[in-house]
């Protein structure tokens, strides 16, 4: 049986309830699978979702993927998340990472494996939503990294609160709020040593570039980047909705290995619309446009 939850009245629960409502993340009767690594973000995520499941009328499960990179740390994480599942009363699904493809960065390969595991587990066990623990600081890092790569409006829109069946209830929380919650209730969590690994661009942005910008240029840089992301996300969604009829006209056929587009719809559109139509068509066809930049579209 789950233990009593003293954090049910915590201010963070209200913030996340508002986030879930604002973005229509969870509907009555949903089965929510939370990615739980044992890190602070995922631990707070399952604590607060466990407190909300009765009032919002959804069921909760957890998924942990062993990346196989740190066997000793993985054993500790599995023990921690297993105890967490017992204490909070949710089913835990544990998986191990498959062979890496060797294509792309290690970080990207691990991310793809993680979401493949989440989606596979959700499909096999009837989960309708997948909750992950990204928060506002993660979003700021993503916006900054994409800006440095020369991303357009879509990249600057940051991490979407909702995309398909993926939801991010913590997206409006700051990292400091997450850590303060854990401290308030004496909740144990595991530190992922890879978060300090300077081989990963995200860690260099997190530990060096963002602190530099905060100290010397804008003490409110995280909130500023999140505000930029919010504006860009709204504009992205409006433009995509406005161009949907033209996209329907442009896509002549879409098969597993072939996408056919009609030139007539493209030729009467200005270049910025051509870019967006091509990107929208590829996103609709593949289900994603990861690693597709403006230079590729051009």
């Amino acid at each position: 049986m789950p233990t009593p939850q003293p954090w049910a009245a915590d201010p963070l629960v209200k913030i996340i309830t508002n986030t879930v409502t604002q973005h229509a993340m969870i509907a009555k009767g949903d089965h929510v699978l939370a990615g739980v690594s044992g890190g602070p973000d995922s631990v707070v995520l399952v604590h607060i979702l466990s407190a909300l499941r009765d009032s919002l009328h959804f069921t909760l499960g957890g998924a942990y993927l062993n990346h196989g990179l740190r066997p000793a740390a993985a054993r500790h994480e599995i023990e921690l998340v297993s105890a967490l599942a017992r204490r909070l009363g949710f089913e835990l699904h544990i998986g191990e990472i498959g062979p890496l493809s060797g294509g792309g960065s290690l970080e990207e390969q691990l991310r793809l494996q993680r979401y493949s595991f989440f989606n596979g587990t959700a499909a096999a066990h009837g989960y309708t939503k997948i909750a992950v623990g990204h928060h506002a600081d993660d979003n700021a890092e993503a916006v900054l990294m994409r800006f440095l790569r020369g991303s357009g409006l879509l990249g600057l829109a940051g991490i979407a609160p909702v995309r398909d069946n993926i939801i991010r209830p913590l997206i409006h929380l700051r990292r400091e709020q997450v850590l303060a919650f854990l401290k308030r209730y004496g909740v144990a969590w595991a530190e992922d040593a890879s978060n300090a690994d300077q081989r990963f661009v995200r860690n260099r942005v997190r530990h060096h570039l963002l602190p530099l910008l905060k100290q010397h240029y804008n003490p409110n840089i995280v909130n500023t980047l999140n505000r930029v992301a919010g504006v860009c996300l709204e504009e992205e969604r409006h433009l995509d909705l406005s161009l949907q009829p033209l996209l329907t006209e442009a896509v002549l056929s879409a098969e597993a290995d072939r996408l056919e587009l009609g030139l007539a719809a493209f030729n009467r559109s200005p270049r910025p619309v051509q870019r967006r139509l091509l990107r929208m068509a590829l996103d609709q066809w593949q289900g994603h446009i990861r690693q597709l930049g403006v230079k590729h579209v051009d």
Side-chain angles (χ1 to χ4, degrees):
M1 291 290 293
T3 57
Q5 301 183 343
W7 57 87
D10 192 272
L12 261 60
V13 174
K14 183 176 181 180
I15 293 173
I16 292 176
T17 301
N18 290 340
T19 299
V20 167
T21 303
Q22 176 188 349
H23 300 287
M25 291 182 174
I26 299 174
K28 184 177 181 179
D30 266 334
H31 302 290
V32 179
L33 179 68
V36 53
S37 65
D41 312 330
S42 69
V43 170
V44 169
L45 176 67
V46 291
H47 272 78
I48 294 184
L49 287 179
S50 72
L52 291 177
R53 56 190 161 183
D54 289 341
S55 61
L56 297 184
H57 309 289
F58 66 91
T59 61
L60 178 66
Y64 171 86
L65 182 64
N66 180 2
H67 291 124
L69 300 178
R70 301 168 290 109
R75 286 193 295 272
H76 171 63
E77 289 169 357
I78 291 171
E79 291 173 0
L80 188 149
V81 298
S82 297
L84 191 61
R86 289 191 299 271
R87 189 165 67 252
L88 297 181
F90 62 84
E91 184 177 5
L92 179 66
H93 308 274
I94 298 175
E96 292 190 0
I97 204 163
L100 297 179
S101 66
S105 69
L106 175 61
E107 191 173 23
E108 176 65 9
Q109 290 184 68
L110 294 176
R111 190 187 71 81
L112 291 175
Q113 290 261 6
R114 189 161 56 249
Y115 280 99
S116 176
F117 169 63
F118 291 160
N119 281 308
T121 302
H125 297 276
Y127 291 101
T128 53
K129 300 288 176 60
I130 297 170
V132 292
H134 294 112
H135 49 62
D137 292 73
D138 294 322
N139 196 28
E141 292 161 13
V143 172
L144 193 50
M145 289 167 63
R146 293 171 186 178
F147 172 78
L148 294 173
R149 289 200 301 261
S151 293
L153 192 63
L154 178 62
L156 297 182
I159 302 172
V162 177
R163 181 177 172 85
D164 301 324
N165 65 333
I166 306 293
I167 62 173
R168 297 178 169 92
L170 307 188
I171 197 64
H172 297 315
L173 292 186
R174 293 293 307 276
R175 180 178 287 116
E176 61 201 38
Q177 291 176 290
V178 168
L179 296 174
F181 178 94
L182 296 170
K183 184 177 180 180
R184 272 198 298 279
Y185 300 103
V187 177
W189 52 276
E191 182 62 66
D192 185 346
S194 67
N195 288 333
D197 191 335
Q198 299 300 300
R199 291 177 299 174
F200 297 136
V201 175
R202 179 178 294 277
N203 289 340
R204 297 199 296 274
V205 168
R206 176 178 301 171
H207 297 298
H208 297 291
L209 183 54
L210 268 173
L212 180 71
L213 292 172
K214 181 177 181 179
Q215 181 178 356
H216 295 289
Y217 297 94
N218 181 355
N220 206 29
I221 186 65
V222 170
N223 290 336
T224 298
L225 290 170
N226 274 272
R227 187 166 62 249
V228 168
V231 171
C232 291
L233 182 62
E234 286 184 351
E235 294 187 1
E236 270 291 311
R237 288 175 171 170
H238 172 72
L239 290 169
D240 280 356
L241 188 63
S242 300
L243 290 177
Q244 194 62 46
L246 190 57
L247 176 67
T248 301
E249 178 187 345
V251 177
L252 300 183
S253 67
E255 301 172 7
D257 59 352
R258 185 170 181 269
L259 174 68
E260 183 179 354
L261 304 174
L263 287 177
F266 277 83
N267 288 340
R268 71 171 186 266
S269 302
R271 189 174 178 82
V273 173
Q274 291 178 343
R275 282 198 187 100
R276 182 171 290 270
L277 282 174
L278 183 54
R279 196 187 71 210
M280 289 171 68
L282 290 169
D283 191 16
Q284 180 177 282
W285 181 47
Q286 294 185 132
H288 69 87
I289 47 173
R290 289 186 296 272
Q291 299 181 322
L292 180 77
V294 173
K295 63 180 181 181
H296 303 119
V297 174
D298 285 342

